[in-house]
Amino acid sequence: MAALARSVLRYSARHEAAASESFAEHVVHGLSDSPKWLSAKYFYDAAGSELFEQITDLPEYYPTRTELKILRGHAREISGYIALSAALVEFGTGSTRKARILIDAAPQLAAYVPVDISAEFLNQEAAAVRRDLPWLAVLPVVADFTRDFDLPPQIRSRPRVGFFPGSTIGNFEPEDAAEFLRQAGRILGAGATMIVGVDLIKDEAVLNAAYDDAAGVTARFNLNVLARMNRELGGNFDLSAFRHRAFYNAENHRIEMHLESLKSQSVTVAGHTFAFDKGETIHTENSYKYTMESFRALAESAGWRPAATWTDENDYFSIHALKL
Ligand code: AVJ
């Protein structure tokens, strides 16, 4: 255990150090390291966000449609964990589609607080929800949800319900996921509920296909981070000289995505030149998978009490209600 725990901690520490860097600093830091790596959060520029939307519609990518099905099928029961006149605080709102399912099933909700780093998108989405649900106080917060942020003063006296769907929690190292949950607890306060979507460990062929689809959309999504470095940091990556690699790492319970250099080459980006061996990779994403039990244990280690869990008929995905 010691070696794994140490390597996870080391990885966590370097992610923490990386949290306050600019994209350029991050790229120089990650590509100077051995093995080379980049944080998955840099996938999501406009092109990357659009490609991710396409991923969610792929036949192989089960998480989104499975989570939506669980939410729709159990919305009333989930709503039972939402207190009267509570505020729903969504961590990292991309689309409001999932929150709307909860809101529709929980008329006792008084406020919706979507939190996201992208002000423009957030304000657009917030305006649309306000238009459709005029009785709901919609109070968007522009913030990096992985850091500490202040809730709007208007919800100071309301019970709080955190919402973190999509298995975005899988992008954190387990240590960092626990730290995130602990911090979410601090932000939400005593008596809070947290509703979290978590992808489950399953047949490796199903996992591998979900991250290496036949149409090549996930490959384009992964390669887009090279295009983004070219666009934003004056890079000269030749996208045809790299290929998408994705596989389940069973020992560490995670999908890993990499970009593999197809030849020996050097690339200049952000004013620095980096040498790649043939076959060398940039590690671009981890997507951790849990069992029901391993996620409950993680939540408990972060001070939350698992109150209920919902899943689909294949046990592909899970939604957890946690209480503080
Ligand atoms: C948005 C982090 C949940 O891990 O499944 C999809 C991102 N990467 N295909 C995931 C992703 C490749 C996704 N999350």
Side-chain angles (χ1 to χ4, degrees):
M1 104 119 231
L4 178 61
R6 259 200 317 277
S7 78
V8 165
L9 280 173
R10 201 175 333 113
Y11 198 78
S12 299
R14 97 193 162 171
H15 273 252
E16 215 170 278
S20 59
E21 292 171 336
S22 68
F23 184 33
E25 288 165 340
H26 178 78
V27 163
V28 172
H29 178 181
L31 297 188
S32 302
D33 213 342
S34 179
K36 293 178 171 64
W37 66 290
L38 293 171
S39 165
K41 74 176 179 188
Y42 294 109
F43 283 140
Y44 302 94
D45 66 347
S49 299
E50 168 56 32
L51 284 163
F52 180 68
E53 282 307 306
Q54 290 180 34
I55 286 174
T56 64
D57 286 331
L58 291 169
E60 297 95 332
Y61 193 75
Y62 62 84
T64 309
R65 82 175 59 86
T66 308
E67 185 178 41
L68 284 167
K69 192 171 169 194
I70 300 168
L71 271 177
R72 290 193 189 102
H74 299 279
R76 291 299 310 166
E77 284 164 70
I78 299 171
S79 144
Y81 290 85
I82 299 177
L84 190 67
S85 81
L88 184 71
V89 179
E90 184 173 24
F91 295 87
T93 302
S95 136
T96 55
R97 179 155 69 139
K98 292 167 186 168
R100 282 169 183 260
I101 297 172
L102 272 189
I103 295 166
D104 284 345
Q108 74 271 34
L109 273 172
Y112 173 46
V113 181
V115 181
D116 201 88
I117 189 85
S118 163
E120 197 190 333
F121 190 70
L122 184 67
N123 290 328
Q124 255 171 35
E125 288 282 308
V129 175
R130 227 176 259 130
R131 192 179 334 105
D132 296 346
L133 310 169
W135 60 89
L136 190 72
V138 180
L139 307 162
V141 172
V142 179
D144 178 345
F145 70 86
T146 66
R147 313 244 195 114
D148 203 13
F149 63 89
D150 291 324
L151 291 175
Q154 297 94 314
I155 67 161
R156 195 172 296 142
S157 58
R158 298 196 179 285
R160 288 80 178 266
V161 181
F163 186 41
F164 194 36
S167 204
T168 306
I169 199 159
N171 271 165
F172 290 116
E173 294 302 300
E175 295 275 334
D176 295 342
E179 181 49 38
F180 165 77
L181 288 174
R182 215 171 282 123
Q183 181 181 285
R186 279 196 299 271
I187 292 171
L188 296 171
T193 299
M194 183 88 184
I195 298 165
V196 191
V198 183
D199 198 13
L200 297 174
I201 293 172
K202 61 184 62 63
D203 188 89
E204 286 192 24
V206 175
L207 285 167
N208 286 327
Y211 293 84
D212 195 8
D213 59 289
V217 180
T218 310
R220 288 208 294 282
F221 173 73
N222 197 3
L223 286 158
N224 174 62
V225 77
L226 302 182
R228 181 176 182 185
M229 289 188 279
N230 288 349
R231 284 191 293 268
E232 295 182 23
L233 306 176
N236 63 355
F237 282 97
D238 171 4
L239 270 61
S240 70
F242 288 85
R243 78 169 181 124
H244 166 68
R245 298 253 294 124
F247 55 87
Y248 186 61
N249 175 334
E251 196 189 335
N252 293 318
H253 315 296
R254 68 191 191 202
I255 285 280
E256 293 184 15
M257 297 216 311
H258 296 257
L259 289 164
E260 179 187 335
S261 177
L262 295 173
K263 62 181 190 193
S264 166
Q265 57 182 320
S266 55
V267 176
T268 300
V269 60
H272 294 250
T273 299
F274 302 97
F276 289 82
D277 292 330
K278 181 174 188 217
E280 186 178 355
T281 74
I282 308 172
H283 188 173
T284 50
E285 181 170 43
N286 285 325
S287 182
Y288 280 87
K289 310 304 173 189
Y290 291 88
T291 63
M292 298 283 199
E293 297 72 30
S294 69
F295 186 74
R296 284 189 201 118
L298 181 91
E300 280 180 319
S301 80
W304 291 88
R305 181 175 59 77
T309 306
W310 298 272
T311 186
D312 55 287
E313 66 276 18
N314 298 314
D315 289 341
Y316 273 9
F317 200 92
S318 60
I319 295 177
H320 296 252
L322 311 172
K323 298 288 291 182
L324 211 52

